Each structure stands twice: as C-alpha cells, then as structure tokens.
Amino acid sequence: MTAGSPAAGDEEKGGLRSALGGLTTRGRSFLAAGVAAAVCAVVLGQSDLLRVGLLLAVLPLICVAVLYRTRYRVAGSRRLMPSRVPAGSEARVHLRLDNVSRLPTGLLMLQDHVPYVLGPRPRFVLDRVEPGGRREVSYRVRSDLRGRYPLGPLQLRLNDPFGMCELTRSFSSSDTLTVIPRTEPLPPVRLSGDATGYGDGRQRTLALAGDDDVIPRTYRHGDDLRRVHWRSTARYGELMVRREEQPQRARCTVLLDTRRAAYRGAGPDSAFEWAVSGAASALVHMLERGFSVRLLTDTGTSVPGDGGDGLAGSPQESAESAGLMLDALAVVDHSDGGAGLSRAYDVLRGGGEGLLVAFFGDMDEEQAAVAARMRQRSGSAVAFVLDSGLWMANGAVDDAVEARLRGLREAGWTVVPAGPGAALPELWRQAARERAGSAPAGTTGLSGGWT
C-alpha cells in the first residue's frame, strides 16, 4: 500500500479535498482563528494582527499540503493464529508493517477493523519506521458466539508533527476468523452394534469375492509374489497381482434438528446452542474412533456433500472433513421447519446407515412419528432430546412429551433426555448403559436429565 500518494487531474482535486477533510479539531481551530484574525485586521487596519492571522491560517494548510504530498510506501500483512477456534477461546492476530520506501515515516497509527463481538477495535501508535524497517504488533480476539467474523481491512492513519491533519489509508486485504462450537471429550463407550473402524466384524468386499471377481493390477516393485494372479498374468502378458483388501469403515450420521419451532430462547446457554455443541462433540468423537462420519440437518443438507459417505481412510482426510463439518456448524442457524424432519428422513439410506446420533428439539406427534421411522433406516440409533420449555422455565416434562419419548423407545431408539446444565459426557455414558440394558429406560439418575 502507498499511503498519501497523489493522483492527477480531477482525482488529484478530489484527493486534495479529502486531505482538507482530514483536518483535526486543532487544525480547524487554527484555520478559523487565522481567518477571523485576518478579517479583524483588515477592518481595524492592524497589519501586525494580519500577519498573525495569516500565520494561523496558513500553518494547517501547509501541514495538509506536506502530508498530502508525502509518499510513504508501506506494506502491511496480517497473520491469524489459529484461524479456527472454539467459542470462548482466544486467537491472536499478528500485524506486520514494512517500510519499503527510502524515506523514514512519521507518526503512524495502525488500526484494524474488528467486529464488536470479538472485542474493542485495536489501535497501535508507531513513532517512526526507518527505511526498510519493520514493525510487528499483535492483539487478541475472543467470542462466546460461534460464527464467521471478518477481520480488516487494516487502516493506516498519517499525522503531521503539529497534529493539524490526519489522513487515513486502507489496505485491501482481510481475513476471516471462524468460531466453531465448543466440543467436549466423550468417553470411548460403544453405542453401535457394529464394530468400529477397521475392527473384526466389518465386511470386506474382496474377502467375499470369488476368484473370478478379483480385479488385478499391474505388479509394482516390492509387491508380495504370493499375491500374483496367474490367470490375469497369462491373459494380459504381464505380471498382475491381486489388489489389497480394503476394509470398510463403520459409518455414523450425526443428525441436528435446527427447526425454529423446536427451540426457544437464544444466547450461548440456550438449548439450541447446546444441541449444536453436542453435535460437534459427537462428530469429532466418532471421527477419532475411526468412523466415517457425516453431518445431516433437518433440511436435508449433508456435510460432506449430499448423500456423501463421509470420509476416506487417511488421517488427513479425517481432519479436512472434520474442518468442513465444524465450519458448517459454526454458521448453522434455525430453519423455518416447514418440511419438518421429512427431508432428513429421505436422505437417510435404507438399512445400511450404521449408527445414527440425533439431537432433537421439541417434537409434536407428527415429527415424533417421522423420527421413529428413521430408526428403520439405521443400524442403531441414539437420540438426545431437548425440551426448550424445560430449559426456559426449569420445570417438569409434561405427559405429552413423555409419550413421544416412549414412542421413540418403542421404535428402537436409545433415548436420552437432556435438561438444563446436562453434561454430554455423562449422557453419552448413560446412552451406552441404556443400550446395554444396564439402566432402565426412561430414567437418568444424572444431573441435568429429566426425571
């Protein structure tokens, strides 16, 4: 960025008017006092007063001209560490200013545009930057609300030594801070009847295939000669080997109910934010256990990708997919709920969905019936159900809500009610106990659950 560089023609006149608009209160006071003194001197015929008035009027104009004609060539950059943080955590922003001109700068004030949610707008005063010099400053940002927040553009304010004029120049670049939901570490309990990750009990496609179904590939240096497929070698005239057996990963779908009618209240401690944080914790936990995970909302939106199977096998892909899903949860908002849970029901595949972990809000009888049918489209299903009225009033669950919970249990769901102050790790253990049959259905015995 070049601060204070002059333009030509009409642009120069416009820039000069902009520079005159940069007069500070001190500069405007000097100019007004000088003009008033000059008028009085002319009326009274006082030549000495006229000289004083001209001096007072000309000084701020000279400062404007000098500051406007001064060419400071400076380069600014911003580095955000990290660019993705959980709600309530801090990120540090590093600003760097390089003087790439042959002249030293004067007094500079550096200011970065920051949304008010992240804290006060940072300002830094740089006294003098020598030719080829560099200055680095940093500040912290923090938000209790998830979302994506723009940082920038960076502004540079130029001041003359007398404080008569102040010009502002802006850099064009900006960055984005992503505040993701808080996640909690969950205990490594077993919620699915299928083996997790690459464990025993998972189907292996090639293990069930006959000799005629094997798809060979060309021999590579280092391949085990015991894997040579002689029939294909004779057919293609080159050495062919059987492909390595590819284990299938256990699958998990995390369903988040975002219907506006399902939640009441707002803010970091609301029922909806608890559900979003719970979904984030569940998908991160299942990824760490080696599951292929996808995020699904009541609108039918699936991350990663509509109808996607989640992740492939490498840790890098797991990290990338986790980032995609957490970024989606960072900006997820209430849906209008016009279609209810039916769109999510249509997305779920029949029979082979694997583990389904759902976070539901309030449900009427119709939506409870749709949720009950989802159980038929998954291998096993766990539902954390929130009654937002309970979160608002801290009261008791009415008979209608209890009837819907019983309907979900009868359909095969493992149902865990979540009340105000509920700790998801404890509810996670409770779900495992209820699935294993060690705890009676419909009881919690935990702080934050329904009784």
Side-chain angles (χ1 to χ4, degrees), residues 6-278:
D10 294 337
E11 293 182 359
E12 184 173 356
K13 294 178 182 178
L16 186 57
R17 285 194 294 268
S18 176
L20 288 173
L23 283 171
T24 62
T25 302
R26 180 184 300 176
R28 295 175 187 273
S29 300
F30 267 67
L31 183 61
V35 171
V39 171
C40 293
V42 172
V43 172
L44 300 176
Q46 297 290 330
S47 58
D48 292 337
L49 182 59
L50 179 61
R51 296 188 186 95
V52 173
L54 291 177
L55 176 62
L56 293 177
V58 169
L59 180 60
L61 297 178
I62 293 176
C63 292
V64 169
V66 172
L67 191 61
Y68 176 70
R69 291 291 179 178
T70 300
R71 296 172 181 260
Y72 294 146
R73 297 185 63 244
V74 294
S77 62
R78 181 189 300 101
R79 183 163 48 95
L80 187 58
M81 296 181 61
S83 60
R84 182 191 293 120
V85 295
S89 300
E90 289 186 345
R92 183 171 288 274
V93 183
H94 298 268
L95 303 177
R96 174 174 147 179
L97 193 71
D98 295 276
N99 184 8
V100 296
S101 66
R102 298 180 180 179
L103 298 175
T105 68
L107 185 66
L108 303 177
M109 188 174 80
L110 206 59
Q111 175 178 282
D112 208 7
H113 279 268
V114 174
Y116 73 94
V117 177
L118 299 182
R121 181 169 296 179
R123 294 181 175 90
F124 305 94
V125 177
L126 306 179
D127 188 12
R128 178 181 180 275
V129 184
E130 65 279 4
R134 174 190 305 171
R135 296 291 185 272
E136 293 185 3
V137 293
S138 64
Y139 64 93
R140 297 177 182 177
V141 290
R142 180 181 181 274
S143 174
D144 291 328
L145 300 175
R146 56 186 176 80
R148 285 184 183 151
Y149 301 100
L151 300 178
L154 189 63
Q155 284 188 339
L156 192 63
R157 290 188 179 182
L158 311 176
N159 297 84
D160 67 280
F162 298 101
M164 299 287 182
C165 183
E166 180 181 88
L167 298 182
T168 301
R169 298 291 183 265
S170 296
F171 292 83
S172 59
S173 64
S174 60
D175 293 281
T176 301
L177 174 68
T178 303
V179 181
I180 61 176
R182 297 185 183 94
T183 59
E184 298 182 81
L186 301 180
V189 297
R190 185 169 177 174
L191 296 179
S192 174
D194 301 326
T196 62
Y198 296 93
D200 297 334
R202 298 302 303 164
Q203 295 179 349
R204 288 171 167 80
T205 303
L206 295 181
L208 298 179
D211 187 63
D212 293 337
D213 298 325
V214 173
I215 301 177
R217 63 169 174 82
T218 306
Y219 174 83
R220 298 171 186 168
H221 179 71
D223 285 338
D224 191 347
L225 292 177
R226 290 175 295 182
R227 293 173 45 225
V228 173
H229 193 252
W230 297 108
R231 181 178 300 179
S232 298
T233 299
R235 177 184 303 174
Y236 295 105
E238 58 180 329
L239 202 58
M240 307 291 289
V241 297
R242 294 181 178 87
R243 293 182 183 271
E244 293 180 356
E245 184 179 324
Q246 298 295 331
Q248 294 181 354
R249 304 183 72 191
R251 300 175 58 194
C252 174
T253 296
V254 178
L255 173 60
L256 175 62
D257 180 10
T258 65
R259 294 172 298 122
R260 187 177 301 276
Y263 303 93
R264 286 180 290 174
D269 297 327
S270 64
F272 180 66
E273 293 301 324
W274 190 96
V276 173
S277 178

